[in-house]
């Protein structure tokens, strides 16, 4: 009996006869020799069979392989310098496990909506699998970084009674006798409570925004990693963001070279992502944007196009800090030197990817926070516990939210964030 192996292990089994289980990516039959590429999740290997070397049944079975059939292929591992993994499989037996007739995604080009309608199958394609592996690396890099820097993971609730970010994009659901609950837009408010208990904390999970926008940057359900740090001011906050982003990019460059190659990513652009990043105040950014030919006006939030124009003027990520209070959430701390501004920042990725992080120092003064809640027409009662954090030992603290899909899309160099998550949820999509 041949031993069962995964494709990644094959280079250390040259000369052995092994069995590999997987799916047929493509096959090509000739008169005397036939080929198929097999995928098992750990890698890809070319399988070769020559008519003269195998019983007739094996030759016929191999010739009948179709795209995405699941099979167990047995053969000898042979060195083959031209193959990506340096080996190929000289097939001696093939066992069909699951047939596959008329697989919908063929090598010809398909439209985007067709591909998303078949997302459950499209994930099997090389590029989509590469994106998922980069995503996995990004997430693992984040977790390692935070663990090594003494952050404590605190899982925050998804069902909440208070509005975390803005009333405009809430998903609501019935909640027993309490009436309406909201799907979390952020875990931040809960993390602020946890930071007073544990110092440096983070949450990482799905967040929900009923965004009625069909842009390439918006999902209705996206994953956000949010750290919250006691005793960090806005400057400390940006320094942490810079260090984390540089680490994430470095990890992908180190460990996901093959995937970035598969995605035809220009890695030279990523190699530049080292601290320090550029920093510009919102007010200076408006001046700069006008110099660059836009009609940006002070007081309005930056639009996607403005973010792109601005970020394109720099060769690595750009912090824009101290936005007008009127265009930012209620919890951000007023700038004591100019109370029209808040101590916040966005981090804009280069190459037109726009905001990947939103962060701020939090309002730690009870009265000012109450005023902000009222100015924003938010109900006070659900925030009673949040206000307690300012009543009992208030503290300087800051944090931020990193959007996973936007970060992955940027690192992969893909145009739309919906490919950066396995099963995207958008205004226009709930299937599959
Ligand atoms: O800027 P946002 O809304 O910030 C917050 O939610 C804060 N409570 C975070 C914090 O300070 N703890 O969102 C943070 C990031 C954005 O920069 C973006 O990367 C991502 O989350 N994001 C989205 N990603 C995909 N689809 C959407 N609809 C997104 N909305 C925000
Ligand atoms: Mg934001």
């Amino acid at each position: 009996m041949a031993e069962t192996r995964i494709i990644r292990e094959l280079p250390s089994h040259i000369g052995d006869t092994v069995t590999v289980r997987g799916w047929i990516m493509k096959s090509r039959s000739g008169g005397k020799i036939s080929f198929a590429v097999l995928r098992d999740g750990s890698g890809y290997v070319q399988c070769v069979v020559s008519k003269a070397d195998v019983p007739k049944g094996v030759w016929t079975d191999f010739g009948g392989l179709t795209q995405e059939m699941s099979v167990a292929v047995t053969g000898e591992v042979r060195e083959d310098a031209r193959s990506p993994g340096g080996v190929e499989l000289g097939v001696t037996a093939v066992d069909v496990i699951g047939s596959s007739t008329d697989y919908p995604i063929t090598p010809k080009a398909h439209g985007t909506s067709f591909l998303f309608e078949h997302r459950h199958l499209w994930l099997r394609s090389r590029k989509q699998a590469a994106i998922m592996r980069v995503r996995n690396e990004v997430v693992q890099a984040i977790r390692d970084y935070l663990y090594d820097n003494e952050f404590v993971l605190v899982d925050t609730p998804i069902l909440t009674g208070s509005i975390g970010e803005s009333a405009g994009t809430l998903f609501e659901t019935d909640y027993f006798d309490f009436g309406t609950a909201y799907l979390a837009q952020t875990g931040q408010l809960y993390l602020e409570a946890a930071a007073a208990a544990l110092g440096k904390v983070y949450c990482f999970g799905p967040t929900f925004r009923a965004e009625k926008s069909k842009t390439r940057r918006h999902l209705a359900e996206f994953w956000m990693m949010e750290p919250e740090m006691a005793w960090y001011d806005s400057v400390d906050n940006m320094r942490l963001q810079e260090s984390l982003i540089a680490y994430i990019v470095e990890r992908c460059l180190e460990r996901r070279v093959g995937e970035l190659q598969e995605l035809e990513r220009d890695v030279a652009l990523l190699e530049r992502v080292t601290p320090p990043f550029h920093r510009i105040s919102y007010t200076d950014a408006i001046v700069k944007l006008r110099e660059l030919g836009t009609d940006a006006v002070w007081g309005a939030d930056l639009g996607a196009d403005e973010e792109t124009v601005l970020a394109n003027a720099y060769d690595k990520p750009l912090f824009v800090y101290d936005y007008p209070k009127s265009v930012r959430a209620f919890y951000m701390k007023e700038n004591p030197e100019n109370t029209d501004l808040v101590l916040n920042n966005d981090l804009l990725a280069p190459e037109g990817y726009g905001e990947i992080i939103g962060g701020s120092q939090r309002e730690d003064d009870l009265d000012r926070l109450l005023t902000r809640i009222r100015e924003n027409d938010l109900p006070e009662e659900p925030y009673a516990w949040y206000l307690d954090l300012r009543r009992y030992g208030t503290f300087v603290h800051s944090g931020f939210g990193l959007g996973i899909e936007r970060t992955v899309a940027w690192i992969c160099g893909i145009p739309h964030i919906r490919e950066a998550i396995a099963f995207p949820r958008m205004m226009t999509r709930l299937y599959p």
Side-chain angles (χ1 to χ4, degrees), residues 164-165 185-189 191 203 207-211 213 217-228 237 328-329 331-332 345-347 354-360 362 398-407 417:
E165 281 299 315
Q185 296 175 313
T186 170
Q188 177 199 321
L189 308 193
L191 282 181
C203 67
T207 39
F208 304 88
R209 309 265 169 109
E211 301 272 9
S213 49
R217 297 178 181 184
H218 288 97
L219 295 169
E221 177 178 314
F222 66 97
W223 284 64
M224 180 156 59
M225 190 287 292
E226 299 179 87
E228 190 73 28
N237 195 24
R328 280 297 177 267
Y331 53 72
M332 295 185 182
N345 76 270
D346 280 359
L347 178 64
E355 177 198 337
I356 54 171
I357 288 182
S360 64
R362 319 306 191 188
S398 300
F400 61 90
L402 168 77
I404 296 300
E405 290 77 16
R406 288 192 192 176
T407 305
I417 70 167

Side-chain angles (χ1 to χ4, degrees), residues 25 84 98 129 177 179 289 297 309-310 313 369 371 383 389 391 397 423:
M25 301 284 286
D177 293 337
L289 276 167
V297 282
V309 171
L310 189 62
L369 184 58
T371 307
Y383 295 100
L389 308 178
R391 261 184 207 109
H397 61 293
F423 295 98

Side-chain angles (χ1 to χ4, degrees), residues 20 64 82 114 134 144 164 174 192 208 212 221 238 285 294 309 342 375 397 401:
V20 182
R82 287 159 307 169
F114 178 88
V134 172
D144 290 348
D174 283 341
E192 291 184 49
F208 304 88
K212 291 225 170 64
E221 177 178 314
M238 284 189 262
T294 73
V309 171
V342 284
E375 280 170 3
H397 61 293

Side-chain angles (χ1 to χ4, degrees), residues 46-303:
Q46 171 158 275
C47 306
V48 188
V49 62
S50 62
K51 193 172 180 181
D53 296 345
V54 293
K56 194 158 183 261
V58 174
W59 175 254
T60 317
D61 287 350
F62 197 86
L65 295 180
T66 55
Q67 194 188 353
E68 291 304 322
M69 246 181 190
S70 50
V71 292
V73 178
T74 301
E76 187 193 344
V77 183
R78 297 195 299 229
E79 211 162 350
D80 178 54
R82 287 159 307 169
S83 292
V87 295
E88 64 174 22
L89 207 59
V91 177
T92 49
V94 55
D95 214 352
V96 172
I97 296 164
S99 65
S100 169
T101 315
D102 300 329
Y103 186 69
I105 303 174
T106 59
K108 73 164 194 172
H110 295 284
T112 313
S113 74
F114 178 88
L115 290 170
F116 275 104
E117 206 58 19
H118 294 87
R119 182 62 171 166
H120 50 297
L121 302 176
W122 187 30
L123 274 180
R124 302 180 186 191
S125 79
R126 293 179 79 119
K127 281 206 161 94
Q128 296 305 313
I131 296 168
M132 289 304 114
R133 286 185 189 283
V134 172
R135 181 184 170 113
N136 180 50
E137 194 66 46
V138 167
V139 171
Q140 194 59 43
I142 289 171
R143 291 202 184 279
D144 290 348
Y145 180 96
L146 293 172
Y147 188 85
D148 290 345
N149 286 282
E150 291 170 45
F151 280 77
V152 178
L153 172 69
V154 175
D155 298 310
T156 53
I158 284 174
L159 290 166
T160 66
S162 47
I163 300 166
E165 281 299 315
S166 72
T169 60
L170 287 169
F171 280 111
E172 299 183 0
T173 182
D174 283 341
Y175 194 78
F176 306 111
D177 293 337
F178 296 96
T180 302
Y182 308 113
L183 298 189
Q185 296 175 313
T186 170
Q188 177 199 321
L189 308 193
Y190 297 97
L191 282 181
E192 291 184 49
L198 297 153
K200 295 197 288 184
V201 294
Y202 76 101
C203 67
F204 179 41
T207 39
F208 304 88
R209 309 265 169 109
E211 301 272 9
K212 291 225 170 64
S213 49
K214 299 180 194 166
T215 77
R216 60 198 188 87
R217 297 178 181 184
H218 288 97
L219 295 169
E221 177 178 314
F222 66 97
W223 284 64
M224 180 156 59
M225 190 287 292
E226 299 179 87
E228 190 73 28
M229 298 75 65
W231 315 116
Y232 274 48
D233 65 14
S234 183
V235 172
D236 302 326
N237 195 24
M238 284 189 262
R239 217 173 279 137
L240 176 68
Q241 293 166 45
E242 172 177 83
S243 161
L244 173 65
I245 293 292
Y247 179 75
I248 295 170
V249 170
E250 189 189 321
R251 271 278 290 262
C252 291
L253 287 171
E254 246 172 51
R255 302 194 193 185
R256 292 297 142 223
V257 186
E259 284 78 6
L260 294 174
Q261 233 162 29
E262 178 76 54
L263 296 163
E264 296 166 59
R265 181 66 165 113
D266 181 354
V267 291
L269 297 174
L270 295 176
E271 280 160 358
R272 290 190 203 149
V273 182
T274 51
F277 297 169
H278 306 286
R279 287 161 167 74
I280 188 171
S281 72
Y282 166 89
T283 301
D284 289 346
I286 296 297
V287 173
K288 178 144 189 139
L289 276 167
R290 295 187 73 88
E291 283 168 12
L292 289 166
T294 73
D295 48 15
V297 282
W298 199 99
D301 204 355
L302 300 185

Side-chain angles (χ1 to χ4, degrees), residues 345-367:
N345 76 270
D346 280 359
L347 178 64
L348 309 185
E351 302 171 69
Y353 282 92
E355 177 198 337
I356 54 171
I357 288 182
S360 64
Q361 190 171 328
R362 319 306 191 188
E363 186 52 80
D364 47 34
D365 180 87
L366 178 63
D367 293 331

